[in-house]
Amino acid sequence: MVSTPVTKLTFEEYLAYDDGSGFHYELVDGRLQLMNPPTIQHFLIVAFLDTAFIAEIQRLSLPWLTFRETGTRTGKNKSRLTDLSVVTQEQARELLNASAVFESPPLLIVEVVSPDSINRDYRYKRSEYAAVEVPEYWIVDPLKEKISVLWLEEGFYEETVFAGDQQIVSRTFPEIAIAVDRIFTAGNLS
């Protein structure tokens, strides 16, 4: 078992932190939280959505990019790792030669729920992403085979849940046509 350092870090120290282990950490109130490696299902779901988002960005000639496993600063000494983010090219340009932790809110964040991330994805990240004004947040839950799409309204998220063959409705990608079951099928190699 790997133990994470107990030393408190500032956000700036976190950006430069490297313990040489190759592990990924989130910064929560100045403390490092070790992130478990994702499952293959998790990777497949993220890859499917990434491909769909990239196709939509290219189809509409939008000045946006997608990134996997980048950070988003959510507080003074807080930074969360996202499974998938959609950002503007300008946001990416600002970090071209720096740690990939966005200090301005991505346009959309996707998190895929795993057994050890239920509270983190549904509760903590939800409130932190709302606080930094991420306009759209998807919680993809293969455990319950549902996708919650949250839109920021007056500082709080309004949630719509999609399941089965329902088409996901997105404000960031209003014309995207993805059924929930297709996303989970991609995660099962079916």
Side-chain angles (χ1 to χ4, degrees):
M1 170 130 182
V2 175
S3 62
T4 58
V6 294
T7 307
K8 283 224 172 210
L9 297 176
T10 65
F11 179 73
E12 291 71 25
E13 291 168 332
Y14 169 74
L15 291 178
Y17 182 79
D18 182 3
D19 64 4
S21 69
F23 291 116
H24 297 280
Y25 299 94
E26 290 184 336
L27 183 67
V28 180
D29 297 323
R31 297 196 184 281
L32 296 175
Q33 276 190 354
L34 179 65
M35 297 290 99
N36 290 330
T39 64
I40 295 299
Q41 178 187 45
H42 185 115
F43 280 123
L44 291 170
I45 289 170
V46 171
F48 178 86
L49 288 172
D50 192 21
T51 301
F53 291 168
I54 290 169
E56 193 68 357
I57 289 167
Q58 290 174 346
R59 184 181 75 81
L60 297 171
S61 298
L62 296 169
W64 299 349
L65 299 166
T66 64
F67 291 102
R68 300 179 197 184
E69 299 181 12
T70 57
T72 296
R73 186 175 188 172
T74 60
K76 180 180 178 195
N77 288 318
K78 282 188 178 181
S79 180
R80 296 294 188 168
L81 296 177
T82 64
D83 289 325
L84 182 61
S85 296
V86 178
V87 299
T88 65
Q89 288 180 2
E90 185 56 36
Q91 286 175 291
R93 198 171 289 114
E94 291 171 6
L95 298 177
L96 204 54
N97 295 305
S99 292
V101 178
F102 293 97
E103 294 196 51
S104 57
L107 302 168
L108 184 149
I109 290 177
V110 175
E111 298 290 0
V112 179
V113 177
S114 59
D116 70 323
S117 74
I118 295 168
N119 281 338
R120 184 171 55 246
D121 292 337
Y122 276 105
R123 184 175 180 181
Y124 303 116
K125 287 186 177 184
R126 177 182 178 139
S127 63
E128 290 174 34
Y129 292 160
V132 296
E133 300 181 342
V134 173
E136 187 168 337
Y137 172 35
W138 291 19
I139 304 171
V140 178
D141 191 337
L143 307 171
K144 295 185 177 179
E145 294 195 354
K146 68 176 187 171
I147 297 177
S148 301
V149 176
L150 300 101
W151 297 300
L152 196 63
E153 297 286 341
E154 299 178 11
F156 296 95
Y157 280 128
E158 297 295 329
E159 178 179 21
T160 304
V161 178
F162 300 93
D165 63 357
Q166 289 181 302
Q167 297 279 325
I168 294 173
V169 177
S170 169
R171 289 186 183 166
T172 307
F173 296 107
E175 297 175 31
I176 204 161
I178 306 174
V180 172
D181 52 6
R182 284 186 56 214
I183 294 168
F184 294 122
T185 298
N188 292 326
L189 290 174
S190 301

